Structure formats: structure tokens, C-alpha cells
Amino acid sequence: GIRCVEGDLSIRNTKSTVDLSPLANLVAVIGSDQCDHRCAGDLDISYNDQLTTLKALDGLTTVGGELQIWNNAQLTTLA
């Protein structure tokens, strides 16, 4: 699976995603100069109507930029 994202990662506006299991091996979201603009390594998880858990991100140790988690109606805990 994916271990590192070089650039920004945005998970937004999904209607049926209940978990992030495809990202279970992710350990880092880091910046990159390879983007059209400077990417800081931001992670944005927002407006996911059915997302109930972030458990798959337990192995994530590094976010190089901003971490934004908001407006996920069914997400009641960050644990």
C-alpha cells in the first residue's frame, strides 16, 4: 500500500466512504517542490458524509504541513 504521499493529500466530499482502510500503510504526508505550486504536505479530511473512523491512520507519524479534519458528520472521535 501507499506509505508516503509527497505533496498534499485531500480526502473531501465523499458520499459513501466509511473508513480510510486503503491508507492503512500511510506513515507520512510530506512536502514537495514537484507540484505546480509549493506543496507543504497538507492533509485535509473534510465533508465526508459517512466517514466514521480514522483508525486506518494509526500509523501516520508525519504531516509536513497543516492537518485539517472537519465537517465529517458521522465522525465522533479522533481516536
Side-chain angles (χ1 to χ4, degrees):
I2 299 170
R3 293 192 45 78
C4 180
V5 172
E6 195 171 306
D8 297 332
L9 176 59
S10 181
I11 304 164
R12 302 187 75 178
N13 297 313
T14 66
K15 301 299 178 202
S16 61
T17 300
V18 296
D19 65 46
L20 301 176
S21 55
L23 299 175
N25 294 320
L26 186 66
V27 295
V29 179
I30 59 174
S32 173
D33 290 327
Q34 304 302 314
C35 301
D36 291 338
H37 63 285
R38 171 91 173 95
C39 296
D42 296 343
L43 175 56
D44 177 13
I45 303 170
S46 55
Y47 298 103
N48 300 290
D49 294 345
Q50 301 302 315
L51 185 65
T52 60
T53 179
L54 299 176
K55 183 76 175 149
L57 299 181
D58 281 354
L60 183 66
T61 59
T62 303
V63 175
E66 293 183 3
L67 173 61
Q68 300 178 21
I69 303 171
W70 55 294
N71 286 338
N72 300 288
Q74 300 300 315
L75 189 63
T76 59
T77 180
L78 298 179

